[in-house]
Amino acid sequence: MVVPLYIGELAPPRLRGALVSLNQLAITLGILVSYLTDYGLAAHHNWRLMFGLAVIPAALLLVGILLQHESPHWLIRQGRIDEARDVLRRVRDEGDDGLDKEIDEVRGVADREAGASELLSPRVRAALIVGIGLAVFQQVTGINTVIYYAPSLLKGAGFGNSSALLANVAVGAVNVLLTIVAIRLLDKVGRRPLLLTGTAGMVLGMIVTAVAFTGHATTLHGGHAIVAVVGLMIYTGSFAVGLGPVFWLIIAEIYPLSVRARAMSVATIANWSANFVVTVSFLTILNAVGGAAVFGGFAVLSGLALWYFWRHVPETKGRSLQDIERDLND
């Protein structure tokens, strides 16, 4: 939750979309590296080493955090104005006039800092609902079932252990490449077009996957297995270009500064709660009703998400908070 919030407060407004989305790119790169590591160790069945190697990026993350500057917006709220100005000078190329204007704006917000009850006020409620909606749909449309269980799904699709992990690497590579595409487009074409287009692609990908499993329960062979992999790639790539990065970016943009941290934490709790429910139930449901029904269900949920986004999620690119609030309340 802290990462997109921190980047959003540190980044220049004109680069905020791309820089906040680097968080999602880092996640997809980490997933791809873990897929490659698991593939390399698969022949030795050394699952303990697969887990143990995660110590390395965790240690690097800890060192990196210790070297980071505190958020300038947090420093301003604590009255440490000179420190905040120094941090902004290190990461921005605006002159002192631009930095002083931002500092004055944040100080004005800090003077009327809102409590938790403000989240339910009329001016924030609509944005809070949209953030929770984005958070829940990001998970119930099935992305982490693919991320977590792709090797099991691919093995059931007729691949051997090693081949399933290799095909998994291909899915992860698509995820990374299209996240890079999204980062290049977010500040050019906007958030909403990518969100709608990507979600439509998710619907298509899940329909293709469901068709591949029709009449085959949870095990596929031959051409059906290839169609299933293609469907998963379409789905994962569409998520990477739309709902994946756009969710984290929008929740860093739609909330007033006075409640942004609290509102983002609520959206993040909703996101991981939905993730938990889907993750613990997926294999049970898959074994009970079969792949066609499960992936068909994800296609329906993706279609509902597309309708919800089209009706309720505003464009935030290059717009003032006042304009965004007016759209949400309408």
Side-chain angles (χ1 to χ4, degrees):
M1 187 276 289
V2 171
V3 174
L5 175 62
Y6 178 83
I7 298 173
E9 292 183 348
L10 205 66
R14 70 181 185 281
L15 300 176
R16 187 174 57 211
L19 291 177
V20 171
S21 298
L22 283 177
N23 174 56
Q24 182 68 18
L25 177 60
I27 291 171
T28 60
L29 280 170
I31 292 169
L32 178 59
V33 169
S34 71
Y35 286 169
L36 287 166
T37 303
D38 292 349
Y39 175 68
L41 295 172
H44 304 288
H45 304 285
N46 197 338
W47 60 267
R48 293 176 180 83
L49 184 57
M50 293 180 186
F51 279 115
L53 287 173
V55 170
I56 297 172
L60 292 173
L61 176 62
L62 175 60
V63 172
I65 290 171
L66 294 175
L67 297 176
Q68 290 300 306
H69 302 290
E70 184 53 81
S71 160
H73 288 193
W74 184 85
L75 290 170
I76 294 168
R77 287 185 173 91
Q78 306 307 308
R80 295 155 63 176
I81 307 301
D82 291 339
E83 292 179 62
R85 186 177 285 107
D86 289 341
V87 173
L88 288 171
R89 282 175 177 155
R90 289 173 182 267
V91 297
R92 303 285 187 87
D93 57 5
E94 296 105 309
D96 284 345
D97 289 344
L99 300 184
D100 288 340
K101 180 181 178 182
E102 179 172 347
I103 289 170
D104 289 341
E105 289 176 352
V106 177
R107 290 178 74 177
V109 171
D111 290 340
R112 57 181 190 276
E113 195 75 59
S117 60
E118 180 69 10
L119 292 174
L120 299 178
S121 68
R123 79 184 189 100
V124 178
R125 189 185 304 136
L128 185 69
I129 292 171
V130 167
I132 293 173
L134 283 162
V136 172
F137 275 124
Q138 193 197 52
Q139 295 299 327
V140 300
T141 49
I143 184 58
N144 275 330
T145 63
V146 176
I147 298 299
Y148 298 156
Y149 298 122
S152 300
L153 293 172
L154 294 169
K155 187 177 178 181
F159 294 84
N161 283 335
S162 182
S163 298
L165 287 173
L166 183 59
N168 203 29
V169 169
V171 173
V174 169
N175 198 8
V176 171
L177 290 174
L178 288 207
T179 300
I180 293 173
V181 171
I183 289 173
R184 294 183 64 87
L185 293 177
L186 276 168
D187 286 322
K188 294 181 180 178
V189 304
R191 290 60 159 143
R192 185 176 160 87
L194 290 181
L195 179 64
L196 297 177
T197 303
T199 307
M202 290 166 62
V203 176
L204 174 62
M206 279 303 178
I207 290 174
V208 171
T209 306
V211 168
F213 275 91
T214 300
H216 293 82
T218 60
T219 303
L220 303 179
H221 301 285
H224 288 276
I226 300 300
V227 172
V229 173
V230 170
L232 290 176
M233 285 186 171
I234 293 172
Y235 170 82
T236 306
S238 299
F239 177 88
V241 84
L243 187 52
V246 170
F247 160 63
W248 293 107
L249 177 56
I250 285 184
I251 68 170
E253 292 183 320
I254 62 174
Y255 300 120
L257 277 174
S258 58
V259 296
R260 181 173 295 165
R262 287 189 175 92
M264 285 184 66
S265 68
V266 170
T268 304
I269 290 169
N271 185 260
W272 284 104
S273 297
N275 177 23
F276 174 78
V277 172
V278 173
T279 300
V280 300
S281 63
F282 172 70
L283 290 181
T284 301
I285 297 173
L286 178 66
N287 291 326
V289 302
V294 168
F295 294 113
F298 283 143
V300 171
L301 288 169
S302 297
L304 288 174
L306 179 61
W307 173 83
Y308 180 83
F309 300 156
W310 176 67
R311 288 293 303 271
H312 297 292
V313 178
E315 179 59 74
T316 58
K317 172 181 175 287
R319 304 185 67 203
S320 69
L321 183 60
Q322 291 76 15
D323 287 341
I324 295 169
E325 285 181 4
R326 184 169 57 251
D327 272 3
L328 288 168
N329 289 319
D330 287 343

